[in-house]
Amino acid sequence: MTVKVVVGTQFGDEGKGKIVDLLASSFDVIARFNGGANAGHTVVAEGQRFAFRLLPSGAVRQKQTAICNGVVVDAEQLLGEIADIEERTGREVRLWLSDRAHVVMPYHKILDEAEKSLVGKLSSGSTGRGIGPCYGDKVTRTGIRICDLLDEESLRAKLDVYYPLREKLLGAYGLKLGLSKEELVKWCLEKGTMLKRYVADTSLLLNRAIDEGKNVLLEGAQGTHLDIDHGIYPYGTSSNTIAGGACTGTGISPTRIDQVVGIVKAYTSRVGEGPFPTELDEPMASRIREKGGEYGTVTRRPRRCGWLDLVMVRYALRVNGISSLAMTKLDVLGGLREVKVAVAYEHDGEEITEFPANMRVLSACRPVYETLPGWPDLPAAVWKEVAGRGYEELPMALREYIAYVQRSLRTNVDIISLGQDRDATIVKGS
Ligand code: IMP
Ligand code: MG
């Protein structure tokens, strides 16, 4: 029996989807604990490319999946993903959907877009999926949960109160919902009918699975530095993306978690606003962006790209309790004469090694770099072959890069990913 948590150590988009899909083969249940359709997980398998926003990445393997209480659910998106995967694989999606998860309502999406422009420079550059307003309602206790979609009486009682409040708020912004209260009730009940077969007490089922000796994988969305408490506030997302979020977001006790795996991309990328110490200028940023396909899965926005920042990753090791790392996209850096890694920051003439809370301080931090030799650029098919031959066959400079990261972080890199395909991966010690 193993309960493993997988989290991103940077700003999200570390390649968690691929790693979770890879690990999923030895797990019985794969569950998501945070975020919503703001996430974008790409899995390339069986000659097909799958991009999930809500379903856990293990869904491709026809594993039992769960969307737990910490997730905010965009019902239309979820139903669309289920239909798509079932059509393309010819297999049924096995899903437990928490009755306690909050529903992203049509007004949340409109408010998300409106608030983005209202806060101007302080905007996180949200994905516009209604995530912030939905978590906002959850915290202020004015949210609609999945269980409400199955109970017309409580749904009506809530919308009798909340609908006029949301209408007023939208009106203050000069906006309209475009749905009457009755239409909104109908929308909710329809979604409830379609989702009913999946709805469950996910905490109960997951704990029962653990009791039965099953292996459970808890898949985090986004990354450590987007966490609402530990991330680059206010530029991050609205959920707890760190390993602790796996407990509150599922109803599994911290005492039942065996291991936390951190995903670290060989460089850093960022899709929203906010300070980014190792951000690269052109033309280097474009080179990495194009080669790494660094465009938002949800918004298609070009991602900002920069060197690997070990100050950030070290912080992630601490707040998550990571004992093993998976390093992704090392192939993307191939072909550079040298690569850089930030080991500390310089601020006001002083060297700092801990990630600051104050965004004004972070903006003024200059990275202190270590420069390492680069490794060759190889076609995807060759990386796959190289991966098949094992770690010792990797180009020497690439092994040195990995060894440098391990030494510096005092943590093993146990999985090395050299391309999108499942096969372009080395699992050390296997
Ligand atoms: P929200 O989660 O849509 O509210 O967006 C808040 C911030 O988090 C924005 O800067 C987004 O670009 C960023 N963000 C949200 N989800 C992801 C993700 O899955 N990957 C990378 N960035 C994300
Ligand atoms: Mg993503």
Side-chain angles (χ1 to χ4, degrees), residues 32 107 133 163 187 224 289 304 350 378 394:
R32 257 192 71 176
Y107 47 78
Y163 182 86
W187 182 91
T224 299
R289 184 180 306 119
R304 301 156 67 191
E350 270 181 54
L378 303 174
L394 288 179

Side-chain angles (χ1 to χ4, degrees), residues 206-226:
L206 287 171
N207 277 285
R208 213 178 256 166
I210 299 168
D211 291 340
E212 287 165 4
K214 302 245 168 76
N215 296 330
V216 175
L217 186 63
L218 306 178
E219 173 183 353
Q222 290 88 40
T224 299
H225 291 272
L226 296 179

Side-chain angles (χ1 to χ4, degrees), residues 1-201:
M1 183 273 284
T2 307
V3 182
K4 195 180 270 200
V5 182
V6 176
V7 288
T9 60
Q10 296 153 309
F11 294 122
D13 306 313
E14 296 92 352
K16 290 180 297 296
K18 172 184 158 165
I19 303 296
V20 168
D21 168 69
L22 185 85
L23 294 172
S25 65
S26 44
F27 284 81
D28 303 294
V29 188
I30 296 102
R32 257 192 71 176
F33 60 81
N34 77 296
N38 51 347
H41 293 174
T42 311
V43 177
V44 178
E46 298 164 15
Q48 297 198 71
R49 182 191 190 87
F50 299 90
F52 301 123
R53 291 178 189 171
L54 273 161
L55 279 175
S57 306
V60 185
R61 296 194 187 254
Q62 218 206 351
K63 295 281 178 177
Q64 178 64 54
T65 61
I67 293 179
C68 299
N69 58 281
V71 176
V72 290
V73 180
D74 180 328
E76 271 163 7
Q77 173 69 33
L78 178 58
L79 289 161
E81 275 177 38
I82 295 173
D84 177 58
I85 194 168
E86 290 189 341
E87 194 186 305
R88 287 165 66 199
T89 63
R91 296 187 298 247
E92 209 168 298
V93 167
R94 297 165 60 204
L95 172 69
W96 297 330
L97 171 64
S98 172
D99 45 10
R100 289 173 172 80
H102 279 249
V103 179
V104 178
M105 300 289 279
Y107 47 78
H108 289 141
K109 293 187 190 172
I110 304 176
L111 287 168
D112 202 5
E113 286 296 344
E115 285 164 1
K116 211 186 313 195
S117 48
L118 284 170
V119 295
K121 271 193 174 159
L122 287 178
S123 163
S124 67
S126 122
T127 58
R129 293 264 156 181
I131 306 298
C134 184
Y135 279 113
D137 281 2
K138 172 177 175 173
V139 173
T140 52
R141 303 176 304 275
T142 54
I144 300 292
R145 299 191 299 170
I146 293 287
C147 57
D148 297 320
L149 305 185
L150 308 181
D151 176 0
E152 184 167 350
E153 206 178 315
S154 33
L155 179 71
R156 283 188 181 278
K158 286 183 179 166
L159 287 180
D160 279 349
V161 180
Y162 305 154
Y163 182 86
L165 291 180
R166 296 298 160 250
E167 234 189 356
K168 245 186 225 158
L169 185 59
L170 285 167
Y173 293 160
L175 298 165
K176 270 199 154 54
L177 177 58
L179 284 176
S180 67
K181 190 178 80 188
E182 221 25 63
E183 285 167 330
L184 189 59
V185 169
K186 193 165 161 258
W187 182 91
C188 289
L189 294 173
E190 262 173 30
K191 300 299 168 286
T193 306
M194 288 191 273
L195 290 171
K196 194 169 177 199
R197 54 193 287 229
Y198 305 110
V199 178
D201 180 341

Side-chain angles (χ1 to χ4, degrees), residues 343-386:
V343 290
Y345 300 146
E346 197 227 273
H347 181 261
D348 245 355
E350 270 181 54
E351 191 165 296
I352 57 173
T353 51
E354 296 302 332
F355 201 78
N358 186 328
M359 291 301 111
R360 219 164 52 76
V361 172
L362 185 62
S363 304
C365 282
R366 298 286 155 259
V368 177
Y369 285 120
E370 185 70 37
T371 303
L372 299 162
W375 50 90
D377 186 18
L378 303 174
V382 179
W383 278 120
K384 231 157 88 168
E385 260 176 59
V386 173

Side-chain angles (χ1 to χ4, degrees), residues 258-262 317 321-325 411-412 414:
D258 299 296
Q259 199 195 10
V260 181
V261 175
L317 296 181
I322 291 167
S323 55
S324 171
L325 285 166
T411 306
N412 285 340
D414 293 313

